[in-house]
Amino acid sequence: AQKVTQAQTEISVVEKEDVTLDCVYETRDTTYYLFWYKQPPSGELVFLIRRNSFDEQNEISGRYSWNFQKSTSSFNFTITASQVVDSAVYFCALSGYNNNDMRFGAGTRLTVKP
Amino acid sequence: GAVVSQHPSWVICKSGTSVKIECRSLDFQATTMFWYRQFPKQSLMLMATSNEGSKATYEQGVEKDKFLINHASLTLSTLTVTSAHPEDSSFYICSASGGWDGLGKTFGSGTRLTVV
């Protein structure tokens, strides 16, 4: 069975602080995909990144960075110099090769205060 | 880039009526579409997967006779909530894929259903 755990329910930081959102996953598949999404108050789901299980390279995109470690089954997301506009719920997700069994974590609500 | 349009964005209906939600891929052919449900302050739960021209595959616990999914063309999938009840009030969101590269990347804007 596939499972995604986002242990942090809510995080509150002050603008310009760095913040890391944790994601731990479980799967028996050898090939799988990991995702991060942002869901602002308006509700739409914004795709941030997809990483396949064979690519453990960390990735940086502007203020966003991701740390994928298969040894600990983690795919953590860091926002550097957070901004108020980063306030949202962030979901980590896991899917098999065909994406037909995508499982989302419970989400982490990030609040960035000015 | 790939765009998915979902309509309506919100709907209020009376208990016992049916509601249809549309999910369209605007600039690509969506061979597979996924439907999710999200209750307030909860995570997204996959309801079903539909492939164009085939019957949808429903997740365990999702009533296929209540949540009718039609994927009749490569650009349109519909979810019909039949005989809606207040407990069906939720946020429904679709995702579409035209191939391996697009998996998990494109979601509709969601439909907030309120049954009164």
Side-chain angles (χ1 to χ4, degrees):
Chain A
Q2 311 213 113
K3 184 179 177 182
V4 177
T5 301
Q6 293 180 256
Q8 304 149 309
T9 305
E10 295 189 27
I11 299 176
S12 181
V13 299
V14 177
E15 208 170 18
K16 296 184 182 178
E17 282 186 26
D18 298 347
V19 58
T20 295
L21 310 182
D22 298 333
C23 175
V24 175
Y25 63 93
E26 295 176 31
T27 181
R28 293 181 181 175
D29 292 345
T30 54
T31 302
Y32 53 88
Y33 296 103
L34 293 162
F35 305 80
W36 274 97
Y37 299 94
K38 174 182 181 181
Q39 188 176 43
S42 53
E44 78 271 20
L45 213 58
V46 179
F47 167 83
L48 297 178
I49 190 171
R50 183 182 78 186
R51 172 69 71 222
N52 76 51
S53 52
F54 297 112
D55 183 1
E56 284 193 73
Q57 278 192 328
N58 292 329
E59 180 153 339
I60 298 175
S61 176
R63 296 185 297 108
Y64 294 169
S65 62
W66 291 269
N67 185 316
F68 176 27
Q69 295 204 349
K70 286 180 76 171
S71 60
T72 56
S73 297
S74 65
F75 187 44
N76 297 336
F77 172 34
T78 297
I79 301 175
T80 303
S82 59
Q83 299 176 1
V84 173
V85 293
D86 295 327
S87 297
V89 179
Y90 290 85
F91 290 99
C92 179
L94 165 72
S95 81
Y97 181 73
N98 290 321
N99 202 206
N100 59 351
D101 54 355
M102 181 175 269
R103 295 290 180 260
F104 284 78
T108 297
R109 182 175 300 276
L110 173 65
T111 302
V112 181
K113 299 178 181 178
Chain B
V3 178
V4 173
S5 173
Q6 187 172 340
H7 179 81
S9 55
W10 61 271
V11 57
I12 301 173
C13 72
K14 290 186 177 181
S15 189
T17 61
S18 295
V19 173
K20 180 183 285 188
I21 301 170
E22 293 187 348
C23 182
R24 293 181 184 272
S25 57
L26 298 185
D27 51 1
F28 68 101
Q29 293 184 326
T31 51
T32 307
M33 288 195 178
F34 306 88
W35 287 95
Y36 298 84
R37 179 169 54 183
Q38 184 182 27
F39 291 109
K41 296 192 176 182
Q42 293 190 24
S43 187
L44 284 81
M45 300 296 292
L46 179 65
M47 298 176 67
T49 302
S50 72
N51 292 298
E52 185 265 338
S54 304
K55 288 185 178 180
T57 302
Y58 290 81
E59 293 297 300
Q60 192 171 8
V62 178
E63 300 174 58
K64 62 180 181 180
D65 294 330
K66 181 169 185 61
F67 299 99
L68 301 179
I69 292 173
N70 185 293
H71 192 167
S73 78
L74 284 170
T75 58
L76 174 65
S77 176
T78 60
L79 167 67
T80 301
V81 183
T82 62
S83 187
H85 288 97
E87 56 266 30
D88 298 324
S89 298
S90 186
F91 188 66
Y92 294 86
I93 190 165
C94 68
S95 173
S97 171
W100 172 85
D101 186 58
L103 289 176
K105 292 183 178 180
T106 313
F107 284 77
S109 55
T111 297
R112 192 164 303 281
L113 169 63
T114 302
V115 184
V116 298

